[in-house]
Amino acid sequence: MTVADREAERIISPRLTALLPGSRVVGEEATAEMPSLMDGLDHGDVWLVDPLDGTANFVAGSSEFSMMIALMRQGQVVGSWLLNPLSSQLAVAARGDGAFIDGAKVQTAPTSLPPGAWRGSVLTRFLPEALKNQVEAHSSRFGAILPGAKCAGVDYPAVATGSQHFLMFWRLLPWDHSPGTLLVREAGGHVARLDGSEYRPSDQRPGLLTAQNRDVWETVKTLLLER
């Protein structure tokens, strides 16, 4: 957490509630101080805010950081915004209305490449040791297993635009994943927990796999995670 994180959230939060009277904000920084803000995510209109995703990158002087917001309505993510403040690239998604980057519609496509040519990121930092070993043992089945950008605001658009085929996370804080998962879904990708069940931000169970489409998702699960 930096001063930039705290100040950005302080500026953003009241503007969001002003846009939608009766809504409330659950921000990463405020929740660190008051964990009870996470209660009741499935009720009403809730803004999820990550004021500075990729803080370590930001501190290191990297351009790979993002500001991310998602709007939840009765537990469903209905809108998301991912902004790179340096490049001004803005990714937007609305439930049922598609995904857009800088105003251009984004649509994933079926891949004709074999799995041995696929590129994907697996965030291993929080993986249980047994699962980490399994991923490492099976990584040769793919073209490249990358460590990720350390910024969900970079990783999810990479899947939505096709520059990566899949993405796997273990720790699932709602402000980290709600914006990007809606973006990928609305672009035509497939998002589900590792057991195949639906991802809901209010459910804090770990493990999430995102892919360009359902066929890629199923193949990655089989080749990477099944013994």
Side-chain angles (χ1 to χ4, degrees):
M1 183 188 300
T2 67
V3 171
D5 295 75
R6 292 193 295 271
E7 286 301 298
E9 187 168 304
R10 183 185 63 80
I11 292 168
I12 292 167
S13 295
R15 287 163 170 79
L16 292 175
T17 53
L19 284 173
L20 190 58
S23 63
R24 68 185 182 98
V25 173
V26 176
E28 180 178 23
E29 310 311 315
T31 302
E33 298 179 3
M34 189 184 301
S36 62
L37 288 174
M38 292 276 281
D39 297 342
L41 285 183
D42 285 339
H43 303 289
D45 291 334
V46 179
W47 299 97
L48 297 171
V49 176
D50 191 339
L52 180 50
D53 180 54
T55 300
N57 293 344
F58 172 78
V59 170
S62 168
S63 62
E64 294 193 318
F65 63 92
S66 180
M67 299 173 68
M68 302 195 301
I69 296 171
L71 174 61
M72 291 179 61
R73 181 158 290 151
Q74 303 300 340
Q76 293 282 349
V77 182
V78 297
S80 69
W81 298 262
L82 302 86
L83 173 68
N84 181 314
L86 295 184
S87 69
S88 297
Q89 177 179 283
L90 176 63
V92 177
R95 188 176 181 87
D97 288 329
F100 302 83
I101 295 181
D102 292 338
K105 190 165 187 177
V106 178
Q107 187 71 44
T108 61
T111 179
S112 59
L113 297 172
W118 295 355
R119 291 164 50 85
S121 291
V122 177
L123 286 295
T124 59
R125 179 181 175 189
F126 298 104
L127 283 183
E129 198 64 28
L131 186 55
K132 186 185 298 185
N133 292 338
Q134 190 170 330
V135 168
E136 291 173 354
H138 295 167
S139 62
S140 62
R141 298 174 177 179
F142 301 93
I145 298 291
L146 308 170
K150 299 180 181 178
C151 174
V154 172
D155 287 323
Y156 279 109
V159 177
T161 59
S163 59
Q164 287 188 192
H165 295 86
F166 61 92
L167 174 64
M168 192 177 99
F169 287 96
W170 185 252
R171 191 176 71 162
L172 302 182
L173 298 174
W175 43 79
D176 284 336
H177 303 285
S178 299
T181 53
L182 182 66
L183 182 76
V184 171
R185 281 171 171 160
E186 288 298 319
H190 186 68
V191 179
R193 294 185 177 278
L194 301 185
D195 62 4
S197 61
E198 179 187 4
Y199 167 64
R200 291 180 66 89
S202 59
D203 186 344
Q204 297 298 294
R205 288 178 300 150
L208 189 68
L209 180 61
T210 299
Q212 274 189 324
N213 53 57
R214 184 159 196 147
D215 288 342
V216 171
W217 192 97
E218 296 286 358
T219 301
V220 171
K221 183 175 185 294
T222 298
L223 294 182
L224 189 64
L225 301 179
E226 296 183 3
R227 297 181 185 277

